[in-house]
Amino acid sequence: MKTINLFSKNINFILKSLSIITLCSFSTSSFANTERDISFTKYVDDLKKEAIESGIDENTVNNAFKEVKFLQRSVSSDKQQPEFKMTLDTYIPRAVPDWKIKQARAAYKKHYHLLQKIGKEYGVQPRFIVALWGIETNFGRLTGRHYVISSLTTMAYEGRRETLFKKQLFAALTILEQGHITQDKFIGSWAGAMGQVQFMPTSYLNYAVDYDGDGKKDIWNTPGDVFASAANYLKTEGWDDSHIWGRQVRLPDNFDIELAGIKQQKSLVEWQALGVRRYEGQDLPNVELQASIVIPDDRNGRVYLVYNNYKVLMHWNRSYYFATAVTYLSERIASPTIVVK
């Protein structure tokens, strides 16, 4: 009986200790959150003053920040690191699975006449517009679910890239001031990218288009505005629809790897002389064109000879993987040929 009582006392002691530890942890966590909330509120007050002083309408600023809140998800996503090293061969099947290729062809066919019209007006092949649309937001289905002002304020407050995100925040306030979107629909990603083409606010101000002429540049819901905005970005950044993006190639065994990189340019004749060949082994095209060798992983992986249009895609997102996924999807849209009745 004494053994049982002693055991019971020990259990009670352990449970009480655990309760104290839990309570202390909860209290510490609550205190930390309260301290952060106070700091965040003060930071928001300072941002509001700065925004008004910069010339943004006071009512717009006050209304925009009424619903602002700290988003831990934004901070966590910004700091998150990949769990394993991705290669292009593992990335492409994930970014461009067969079902997305089928949906891309269906979307191209559905919006064919609108895409052709916009493509001709801006000088951008429609398949690239659809490919960007598909890679960015799965054709408008995944545009984010966070209030843009909260996302950008959180990222600025977090401090690692404060100057960048304050600039984006003030641009977002300008978008609200101009009346292109209402606050309740001003939704985007955890980092503040917006709409079906995931423009950051400064890109929106520079490139978004009111294609249907209703007074609003609606990249959230209006297909014409979405497609024209993407096309306008590409064209403004230097897109040339008289050329393709590039091609996969083979390198000779003695190729100097120091010659690779998006900033290194040579003519196709010069690359031919250095032993670069099409993937199937044929000579490179005999045209006057500057190009770069891109090696996303290493020389044992895929190698591309890319032209200026590929570099324009890199302006959109500075990632070889992103640009290659867009070009790959664009090629799959083009082949087989889509028949529109």
Side-chain angles (χ1 to χ4, degrees):
M1 182 65 71
K2 288 183 179 180
T3 303
I4 293 175
N5 288 338
L6 181 61
F7 177 77
S8 178
K9 288 179 179 180
N10 286 338
I11 288 294
N12 287 334
F13 175 77
I14 292 171
L15 290 174
K16 287 180 180 179
S17 298
L18 288 173
S19 297
I20 292 171
I21 292 171
T22 302
L23 181 61
C24 289
S25 298
F26 178 77
S27 299
T28 302
S29 175
S30 298
F31 176 77
N33 286 338
T34 301
E35 188 176 35
R36 186 202 64 205
D37 290 344
I38 293 172
S39 174
F40 184 70
T41 299
K42 167 128 186 1
Y43 187 78
V44 169
D45 289 339
D46 291 341
L47 279 178
K48 289 167 66 177
K49 292 177 184 176
E50 188 174 345
I52 293 169
E53 289 173 359
S54 72
I56 300 173
D57 177 70
E58 184 174 355
N59 288 332
T60 298
V61 173
N62 289 332
N63 289 331
F65 280 103
K66 277 182 181 179
E67 304 298 325
V68 75
K69 60 182 179 180
F70 180 84
L71 298 179
Q72 182 59 48
R73 165 69 190 279
S74 294
V75 176
S76 300
S77 297
D78 188 45
K79 294 180 178 179
Q80 187 175 3
Q81 296 297 322
E83 295 181 1
F84 59 92
K85 179 175 173 55
M86 187 81 71
T87 67
L88 196 60
D89 284 334
T90 55
Y91 173 78
I92 290 295
R94 292 175 55 162
V96 194
D98 288 341
W99 61 261
K100 182 168 283 189
I101 295 168
K102 291 178 182 178
Q103 289 187 5
R105 290 171 179 163
Y108 185 99
K109 186 174 182 178
K110 177 181 178 180
H111 298 284
Y112 180 83
H113 297 292
L114 177 61
L115 285 164
Q116 292 299 316
K117 186 171 183 290
I118 290 173
K120 289 179 181 177
E121 289 178 17
Y122 287 92
V124 176
Q125 302 94 314
R127 60 191 174 97
F128 288 97
I129 298 173
V130 175
L132 277 167
W133 187 33
I135 296 298
E136 281 289 10
T137 63
N138 192 21
F139 314 103
R141 297 185 185 93
L142 303 173
T143 58
R145 53 187 179 85
H146 303 289
Y147 179 42
V148 170
I149 301 300
S150 288
S151 296
L152 296 172
T153 302
T154 298
M155 295 304 295
Y157 171 80
E158 190 264 343
R160 190 163 66 89
R161 291 173 288 172
E162 182 182 21
T163 301
L164 167 65
F165 282 103
K166 280 176 66 174
K167 181 179 180 181
Q168 296 299 333
L169 175 61
F170 292 170
L173 292 170
T174 300
I175 293 168
L176 286 174
E177 183 179 28
Q178 292 177 354
H180 296 291
I181 190 78
T182 57
Q183 282 182 221
D184 61 314
K185 296 179 180 178
F186 201 29
I187 305 300
S189 74
W190 59 264
M194 313 176 306
Q196 296 190 32
V197 286
Q198 290 292 276
F199 277 175
M200 291 301 286
T202 53
S203 292
Y204 178 97
L205 293 177
N206 288 329
Y207 306 108
V209 174
D210 173 21
Y211 192 73
D212 64 357
D214 68 349
K216 298 179 180 180
K217 301 173 182 179
D218 183 12
I219 63 171
W220 290 267
N221 303 295
T222 305
D225 290 6
V226 172
F227 302 152
S229 296
N232 187 44
Y233 182 104
L234 295 177
K235 187 62 177 180
T236 303
E237 291 296 311
W239 191 272
D240 183 351
D241 65 350
S242 66
H243 299 298
I244 60 172
W245 62 272
R247 66 185 68 248
Q248 190 172 357
V249 295
R250 293 185 182 276
L251 301 178
D253 292 338
N254 64 347
F255 184 80
D256 182 0
I257 207 72
E258 295 297 321
L259 296 177
I262 199 71
K263 294 182 179 180
Q264 303 268 19
Q265 281 194 319
K266 292 183 182 297
S267 68
L268 296 190
V269 172
E270 290 175 306
W271 287 124
Q272 172 77 19
L274 288 168
V276 179
R277 296 293 182 269
R278 300 187 198 215
Y279 185 73
E280 297 79 10
Q282 303 100 317
D283 288 347
L284 298 178
N286 186 18
V287 295
E288 293 185 9
L289 199 61
Q290 294 292 305
S292 303
I293 292 291
V294 166
I295 307 176
D297 296 317
D298 56 47
R299 64 179 303 147
N300 295 318
R302 304 186 194 195
V303 180
Y304 297 95
L305 183 69
V306 301
Y307 312 142
N308 187 65
N309 287 343
Y310 186 95
K311 296 179 183 180
V312 172
L313 292 175
M314 294 278 294
H315 296 176
W316 186 295
N317 184 319
R318 298 183 184 281
S319 163
Y320 287 145
Y321 283 17
F322 173 84
T324 303
V326 172
T327 58
Y328 177 74
L329 182 53
S330 76
E331 295 291 346
R332 297 302 301 273
I333 292 171
S335 178
T337 302
I338 297 171
V339 178
V340 179
K341 296 180 180 179

